[in-house]
Amino acid sequence: IQMTQSPSSLSASVGDRVTITCRASQSIGRFLNWYQQKPGRAPQLLIYGSSDLQSGVAPRFSGSGTETEFTLTISSLQPEDYATYYCQQSHGSPVTFGGGTRVEIK
Amino acid sequence: QVHLQESGPGLVKPSETLSLTCDVSGSSFSGFHWSWIRQPAGKGLEWIGHVFASGHTEYNPSFRRRVTMSIDMSKTQLSLKMTSMTAADTAIYFCARARQDGNPFFNFYFGVDVWGQGTTVTVSS
């Protein structure tokens, strides 16, 4: 299953609302997870099951979607949110990741 | 606190076999499955495969012929062996944990919740 993220990069200011889209090449129900990765660090799980917030993750992060189209929203971008975001599907084997969306400072 | 720590040779020659280990602390092996995931520099993430506490393994078809994963509970350690290494295998290799579900279909539903820091592997003569 191929996962396509858009945009591949974006520039935003602190306080902006940011939305990242992930599309699956076939229906995956709600089997969609989101990760944040900062330079030189391992990815960190943000959202699982399309919309459930991982324990300890700030509530400004939210996820939605089902079947083939999903979104990750950051309601008010903070300085520590500048990073690359990946979606991952777990409906089919092998699990696959999107190409990533880099969020940069405007 | 759960901690995963990868270790390996750093540099591997083309055609040789890569051997990596991942030390696990703060977590039992049962109830979870343990993945290896890699990331070429500046690129995306690729799942290589996973191993369960039972020793059962599942591999990405892209790697199936070259990869062996195992668990050594006495050492609380995971291992990855990948044969016939080429320059295309140069990447950061992560070990990671995910919750095992009673229904295998849901094994990754809750995401990969703990990652090691990663170890860089360069394939070069």
Side-chain angles (χ1 to χ4, degrees):
Chain A
I1 299 174
Q2 293 189 343
M3 308 301 294
T4 303
Q5 287 183 235
S6 60
S8 56
S9 66
L10 64 89
S11 295
S13 300
V14 173
D16 284 353
R17 182 180 182 89
V18 171
T19 298
I20 298 168
T21 297
C22 179
R23 289 186 172 87
S25 60
Q26 64 187 72
S27 177
I28 59 170
R30 298 178 62 83
F31 286 71
L32 192 285
N33 306 317
W34 289 98
Y35 299 84
Q36 176 194 67
Q37 186 179 32
K38 296 180 180 179
R41 305 287 295 275
Q44 177 185 353
L45 179 64
L46 296 176
I47 301 281
Y48 64 89
S50 177
S51 61
D52 289 322
L53 198 66
Q54 173 68 359
S55 175
V57 173
R60 63 181 178 275
F61 291 95
S62 64
S64 65
T66 187
E67 306 300 337
T68 60
E69 187 153 337
F70 302 85
T71 58
L72 172 70
T73 300
I74 309 172
S75 60
S76 177
L77 194 68
Q78 298 301 300
E80 60 267 31
D81 300 337
Y82 291 97
T84 300
Y85 294 84
Y86 293 95
C87 61
Q88 175 217 1
Q89 68 80 22
S90 64
H91 186 273
S93 185
V95 297
T96 48
F97 293 84
T101 296
R102 185 174 178 179
V103 176
E104 300 174 323
I105 300 172
K106 190 172 185 178
Chain B
Q1 186 177 357
V2 183
H3 185 68
L4 308 181
Q5 180 68 58
E6 305 89 345
S7 58
L11 180 65
V12 176
K13 289 183 168 57
S15 80
E16 290 189 343
T17 295
L18 170 68
S19 292
L20 297 178
T21 58
C22 172
D23 290 317
V24 178
S25 59
S27 175
S28 64
F29 281 105
S30 61
F32 301 97
H33 55 101
W34 305 85
S35 288
W36 289 92
I37 297 165
R38 75 179 188 181
Q39 183 174 39
K43 297 189 177 180
L45 299 157
E46 186 172 32
W47 180 75
I48 300 170
H50 61 174
V51 58
F52 294 75
S54 63
H56 175 68
T57 55
E58 295 175 347
Y59 303 133
N60 184 327
S62 296
F63 299 97
R64 187 169 291 147
R65 287 181 293 180
R66 299 199 292 142
V67 164
T68 304
M69 297 179 186
S70 62
I71 283 183
D72 186 333
M73 293 197 186
S74 64
K75 295 181 180 178
T76 63
Q77 195 174 72
L78 315 171
S79 73
L80 168 71
K81 293 189 188 304
M82 185 179 293
T83 63
S84 305
M85 295 287 283
T86 71
D89 296 313
T90 294
I92 298 171
Y93 285 73
F94 298 98
C95 58
R97 185 189 83 166
R99 196 174 99 180
Q100 181 177 353
D101 194 86
N103 181 342
F105 188 63
F106 287 85
N107 269 337
F108 279 102
Y109 183 85
F110 299 98
V112 178
D113 68 339
V114 180
W115 298 66
Q117 67 183 27
T119 187
T120 299
V121 175
T122 301
V123 183
S124 174
S125 55

